[in-house]
Amino acid sequence: MLARALNLLYLDTGSMYRAVALAVMESSVSASDDVAVGSLASRVDIDLKGDPESLRVWLEGRDVTEQIRSEEVTEMSSIISTIPAVRQAMVARQRELGRRGAVLNGRDIGTVVFPNADVKFFLTGSPQERAERRFAEERLVDPNVKFDETFADMIERDRRDSTREDSPLKAAEDAIVVDSTGLSIQQVLEKMMGAVQEKSGGEPPS
């Protein structure tokens, strides 16, 4: 929504890691082989197509948008995303895609990928509410998913991402923290748009 309002490219970088995870699952590569997984990440063909609100993820020429949202891919993504070579490969691609201006979503965008970005947001929310949102998304793919499992997986992912050695999850020092607990998507967008306008001297974004 922010990308559409600002007429910018939108990059959901988490989807790129999920695509790598799927590629690993479909290959003979072991997820525990950091070198092999890093090599695969550097050469696999990942593309993001479509407008900001209907972004499609393509892996080696096929649409995997729904497939990468499965619980198995989510878990694998959290594991392989801690591998430095994987992150380096994805960061290079993200910088190339976003260098002309974009709205990027990911856990290391403001700290690693674009540390000099014009505006940085750190979106957060209560664990309970974040888990409820993720649960609603996952049920669209798997009606049998259990909330307790979703909640536990989210807490574990947060722990893993915030303690990894390469590009750990943290708010950039100059990031604008937006706590979305109890807020609608529209209210979050309004907060972000207000911050963008303030950063641009009060002028409405073009």
Side-chain angles (χ1 to χ4, degrees):
M1 292 170 69
L2 185 66
R4 181 182 288 279
L6 298 173
N7 194 30
L8 290 173
L9 174 69
Y10 171 64
L11 296 178
D12 176 9
T13 62
S15 293
M16 299 174 73
Y17 287 99
R18 287 172 176 270
V20 173
L22 180 60
V24 170
M25 293 168 66
E26 293 180 342
S27 74
S28 59
V29 171
S30 169
S32 61
D33 188 338
D34 290 7
V35 174
V37 174
S39 176
L40 178 63
S42 68
R43 66 178 187 272
V44 72
D45 181 28
I46 299 171
D47 198 6
L48 305 178
K49 301 178 181 180
D51 62 47
E53 292 180 34
S54 59
L55 195 70
R56 309 297 294 181
V57 183
W58 292 71
L59 173 64
E60 298 293 347
R62 75 183 200 277
D63 188 340
V64 295
T65 307
E66 279 75 37
Q67 198 172 352
I68 62 172
R69 293 295 166 183
S70 71
E71 185 177 344
E72 292 79 10
V73 172
T74 298
E75 176 62 21
M76 178 63 75
S77 173
S78 184
I79 293 170
I80 62 99
S81 65
T82 64
I83 300 173
V86 173
R87 302 204 69 81
Q88 290 162 14
M90 293 300 99
V91 167
R93 294 191 188 193
Q94 291 155 17
R95 285 175 175 163
E96 178 64 25
L97 289 168
R99 61 189 172 88
R100 295 182 180 179
V103 173
L104 286 85
N105 166 29
R107 294 190 164 203
D108 61 350
I109 303 304
T111 54
V112 176
V113 184
F114 285 106
N116 297 318
D118 295 323
V119 185
K120 302 176 189 177
F121 294 105
F122 188 82
L123 281 167
T124 187
S126 71
Q128 178 73 20
E129 188 158 336
R130 289 172 52 226
E132 289 173 355
R133 294 169 184 166
R134 174 59 61 84
F135 178 63
E137 290 179 351
E138 291 181 343
R139 287 200 66 180
L140 296 176
V141 178
D142 180 7
N144 297 316
V145 68
K146 302 293 192 296
F147 175 77
D148 289 348
E149 295 174 356
T150 299
F151 186 84
D153 288 345
M154 189 196 72
I155 295 299
E156 172 58 19
R157 183 187 175 206
D158 285 348
R159 184 204 64 76
R160 186 182 293 144
D161 286 356
S162 61
T163 58
R164 67 186 178 219
E165 292 185 11
D166 191 280
S167 309
L169 165 66
K170 64 178 181 179
E173 292 184 1
D174 55 346
I176 299 167
V177 177
V178 178
D179 187 340
S180 64
T181 305
L183 299 181
S184 67
I185 292 175
Q186 186 62 39
Q187 289 172 319
V188 172
L189 174 64
E190 289 171 359
K191 280 179 172 287
M192 297 174 81
M193 286 296 292
V196 171
Q197 292 187 25
E198 184 177 342
K199 283 276 188 175
S200 62
E203 294 295 323
S206 58

